[in-house]
Amino acid sequence: MRPDGSVGIRNTLLILSGTIYANSTAERVADSIEGAVAITHPLGRCQVRPDLRTTFHTLVGTGKNPNVGGVIVIDHFREEGCTAEEIAHEIQKTGKPVEIVNIRHSNGAIEATAQALRKAMNMKRELSSLTREPVDVSKLLFGLNCGTSDTTSGLGSNPALGHCSDRIVNQGGRSILAEVTELMGAEDHIRDRAVTAAVGDDVVAAIDGFEQRALASGEDIRGSQPTGDNIMGGLSSIEEKSLGAYQKSGSAPINGLIDYGEQPTDDSGLYIMYTPGHGSESITGIAAAGAQVLVFSTGGGHVINHPIMPTIRITSNVNSFEAMEDTMELDLSDIFNGDLSLQDAGDQIYDEVMETCNGKLTKAEILQEHTGFAIHRTGVSI
């Protein structure tokens, strides 16, 4: 349990880089501290203001995620609108311990590394005294995502994942469905499930708005989606891909549209987040909103894993599971030979989620795969 009443399924010490120039120092510190994870990125400087705000809110949300027990924020100098002090101030509102190290003010990277190591060591000792407690499933914010989709995704692993999501929501939990670019063609279904007509209109407008953003850049989504691997997997159009991806959402009421990295309300149900289809950018937004665990459904196989949010990878393509077994948790391909119903497959996913929440490590966690952190941006560098 965290001081603000949220619940983490991990107790990670986060070494958070505030800007690209602090990345190496953050990585050196994390490499030297047991159980620490560095989050690095190429942003935090020379961004147009809307993108800098997105970077700031994403870093803050990542630090606020209940899987994080404490945070060391490392800064290079001072970028107004995204300083270590500003990031730490917002994270401290959760009540968790937060420390700051500034490389320039510490007289260079070596001294900054030494300072951060001492702070991290002492914070890790403090975190190690925390113990697990039984909590209700209603405390869970559950992430839904998919990637490298094929014909098996929309018919097998995605609807099974939807059943798992429904079980969590039925117990008072919440789920986040992202990737609005991959909801093109599912608009009528979304309107039917929205809790109000206004919510349905908001989501449909977001889908159209993302397409208009792409068109303004000279890119037609309908020409680049489905992707090459989707086409190889048998998907013929963005509408077919979208209707398959939509199956992840189950049947729970759609409570609202939330912005990238925005925390949803406490009301149980499904929330749709405004993210692109890019897997790492999408799951980064979900983690910044506070999700403790995410299931990633894939047709062709995947290694994706968010650094602080355990990412369970599932497939119903037996060939993909056999090829990618080192980083895949569940093979649900028996759906297609009649030995496994969609509901039973969903129950298998649910059981895996509960075990992961209770401490079971995913394969990607064990392998320290940190491939799933990328902050969404819309503008040019300046």
Side-chain angles (χ1 to χ4, degrees):
M1 294 288 296
R2 301 300 179 197
D4 62 354
S6 64
V7 174
I9 67 169
R10 297 292 184 266
N11 197 30
T12 301
L13 172 57
L14 176 60
I15 313 299
L16 183 62
S17 173
T19 178
I20 180 173
Y21 303 119
N23 286 351
S24 293
T25 300
E27 289 170 345
R28 279 193 296 270
V29 174
D31 287 344
S32 300
I33 299 292
E34 190 277 332
V37 171
I39 281 190
T40 60
H41 57 92
L43 305 176
R45 183 169 172 80
C46 293
Q47 293 184 269
V48 292
R49 284 294 167 177
D51 273 348
L52 188 62
R53 286 193 292 270
T54 298
T55 297
F56 175 74
H57 290 302
T58 303
L59 296 178
V60 167
T62 303
K64 284 184 171 183
N65 187 290
N67 289 347
V68 173
V71 186
I72 309 290
V73 184
I74 300 182
D75 203 358
H76 172 254
F77 187 37
R78 188 174 180 86
E79 180 71 19
E80 291 299 330
C82 198
T83 67
E85 288 79 8
E86 291 165 324
I87 293 169
H89 175 74
E90 292 300 316
I91 296 173
Q92 284 170 335
K93 293 178 181 179
T94 64
K96 67 181 66 174
V98 184
E99 296 279 1
I100 297 171
V101 173
N102 188 296
I103 296 171
R104 184 182 178 91
H105 296 166
S106 302
N107 295 321
I110 293 175
E111 288 301 321
T113 300
Q115 288 184 24
L117 278 172
R118 292 189 187 96
K119 293 175 184 291
M121 179 184 67
N122 292 329
M123 191 177 291
K124 180 62 181 180
R125 279 176 55 83
E126 181 181 344
L127 297 182
S128 69
S129 67
L130 302 180
T131 57
R132 288 183 174 271
E133 303 176 44
V135 297
D136 195 81
V137 175
S138 63
K139 292 286 189 178
L140 193 61
L141 180 56
F142 183 49
L144 308 165
N145 217 281
C146 63
T148 317
S149 300
D150 65 11
T151 52
T152 70
S153 299
L155 298 171
S157 55
N158 285 356
L161 179 53
H163 173 74
C164 172
S165 176
D166 284 346
R167 282 194 64 178
I168 291 169
V169 170
N170 289 339
Q171 295 177 79
R174 298 166 295 161
S175 292
I176 295 178
L177 176 71
E179 302 176 295
V180 296
T181 53
E182 298 181 7
L183 293 176
M184 296 167 62
E187 290 90 345
D188 288 343
H189 299 282
I190 289 167
R191 289 187 190 277
D192 288 343
R193 284 175 55 195
V195 292
T196 65
V199 168
D201 290 342
D202 287 345
V203 177
V204 172
I207 297 168
D208 179 66
F210 221 119
E211 182 176 16
Q212 296 307 314
R213 274 180 57 192
L215 288 170
S217 73
E219 181 71 26
D220 187 347
I221 291 177
R222 298 173 195 270
S224 59
Q225 286 278 8
T227 60
D229 51 34
N230 298 150
I231 293 169
M232 288 180 62
L235 298 180
S236 63
S237 66
I238 183 59
E239 289 82 5
E240 182 180 23
K241 180 178 179 179
S242 293
L243 289 170
Y246 171 77
Q247 300 299 317
K248 301 191 304 292
S249 68
S251 60
I254 297 174
N255 283 359
L257 174 74
I258 54 177
D259 202 357
Y260 186 83
E262 180 185 358
Q263 187 172 351
T265 70
D266 292 334
D267 295 333
S268 178
L270 178 76
Y271 296 82
I272 294 181
M273 179 179 285
Y274 186 79
T275 81
H278 185 285
S280 292
E281 291 184 20
S282 181
I283 72 172
T284 295
I286 292 172
Q292 301 101 325
V293 62
L294 180 140
V295 172
F296 194 95
S297 171
T298 177
H302 230 291
V303 300
I304 197 166
N305 181 63
H306 191 276
I308 64 161
M309 176 183 63
T311 308
I312 301 166
R313 289 147 307 280
I314 65 170
T315 187
S316 50
N317 184 325
V318 65
N319 295 325
S320 297
F321 184 82
E322 290 174 353
M324 300 287 289
E325 188 172 356
D326 287 347
T327 51
M328 300 282 285
E329 269 69 54
L330 290 180
D331 173 12
L332 304 174
S333 59
D334 281 346
I335 290 170
F336 294 109
N337 61 27
D339 292 338
L340 184 66
S341 70
L342 287 174
Q343 180 170 331
D344 287 343
D347 290 339
Q348 283 190 23
I349 301 169
Y350 178 87
D351 291 343
E352 187 74 19
V353 169
M354 292 301 110
E355 290 178 15
T356 301
C357 288
N358 289 327
K360 180 181 179 181
L361 296 178
T362 67
K363 293 176 181 178
E365 283 184 284
I366 295 168
L367 294 172
Q368 298 185 32
E369 280 277 358
H370 295 160
T371 51
F373 188 87
I375 301 172
H376 182 53
R377 60 188 301 186
T378 59
V380 296
S381 297
I382 55 174

